[in-house]
Amino acid sequence: MSNTNEMLVEFDAVGENEGFARVVIAAFVSRVNPTLEEMSDIKVAVSEAVTNAIIHGYEGTTGRIRIFAKMNDSQLTVRVTDFGKGMADIQQAMEPLFTTKPEEERSGMGFSFMEAFTDELNVESKPGEGTTVTMAKVMGVQNGPNNRVN
C-alpha cells in the first residue's frame, strides 16, 4: 500500500520568503523521520532553488514562486517554479561557478548544491515564461535511529 502525501504552496518572490520555504519543506518531510543530514540537504536544495528564482528569475521585479512537493513512501519530489524571465542556456547556467550576477558576489554554486544534496535534478526553462527545478531524494530510510529529527 502506497503512502502518498502532497502539498502546494505559492508565495511572493521576495528574499524574506526563502526562510519560509525552508520551514515549509522541513515540516512536510518531517513525517518520514529523516536524518539530520537528509533534513539539512533538502532544506539547502529548496533554499537554493527559491533563491535562484528570486534573484535570477525575477531580477528585482515582483512575481510568485510555487513549490509542489510529493512524498511517495520514502521518495520526495520537490518542484520549484517561477514565472520570471527564464533561461536560454540551461547547461551554461548549471555549470559550477557560472553566475549572471558577479557584482552581487553570487557564487554560481546554486545548481551544484541542488545536485549534490538531492538524488535527481532536472531543470526546465523557457525564456519569457519561467523556470521549473525538479528535485528528488529518498528520505528517512537509513538504518538505525541515530541522527533522527524528532
Side-chain angles (χ1 to χ4, degrees):
M1 182 172 168
S2 178
N3 189 9
T4 301
N5 190 24
E6 295 181 359
M7 71 146 205
L8 179 65
V9 63
E10 188 170 303
F11 50 88
D12 288 337
V14 295
E16 296 82 22
N17 284 337
E18 179 270 334
F20 170 74
R22 290 172 65 92
V23 170
V24 166
I25 199 65
F28 181 74
V29 301
S30 66
R31 71 180 188 85
V32 298
N33 201 23
T35 65
L36 292 172
E37 182 179 5
E38 289 168 336
M39 182 67 83
S40 177
D41 288 354
I42 200 61
K43 286 168 58 177
V44 168
V46 168
S47 177
E48 291 293 334
V50 168
T51 299
N52 274 0
I54 294 167
I55 292 171
H56 302 289
Y58 291 110
E59 292 193 322
T61 64
T62 59
R64 305 283 287 170
I65 295 172
R66 180 178 297 152
I67 298 177
F68 169 80
K70 180 178 183 175
M71 184 69 74
N72 190 2
D73 294 321
S74 61
Q75 177 72 35
L76 172 68
T77 302
V78 179
R79 210 168 43 236
V80 178
T81 301
D82 71 65
F83 308 94
K85 70 176 210 160
M87 293 181 280
D89 190 341
I90 296 171
Q91 290 303 105
Q92 181 184 42
M94 292 182 73
E95 287 178 16
L97 305 178
F98 175 81
T99 181
T100 59
K101 303 281 185 198
E103 71 281 2
E104 295 181 15
E105 298 184 17
R106 311 300 321 163
S107 70
M109 295 298 292
F111 284 120
S112 295
F113 288 145
M114 288 179 240
E115 195 167 39
F117 293 136
T118 61
D119 299 326
E120 295 176 36
L121 173 66
N122 183 52
V123 181
E124 298 174 35
S125 190
K126 290 185 181 176
E129 295 183 24
T131 301
T132 297
V133 175
T134 304
M135 300 170 281
K137 184 170 182 71
V138 174
M139 304 286 290
V141 295
Q142 282 70 15
N143 294 325
N146 296 338
N147 297 325
R148 294 287 177 195
V149 177
N150 293 321

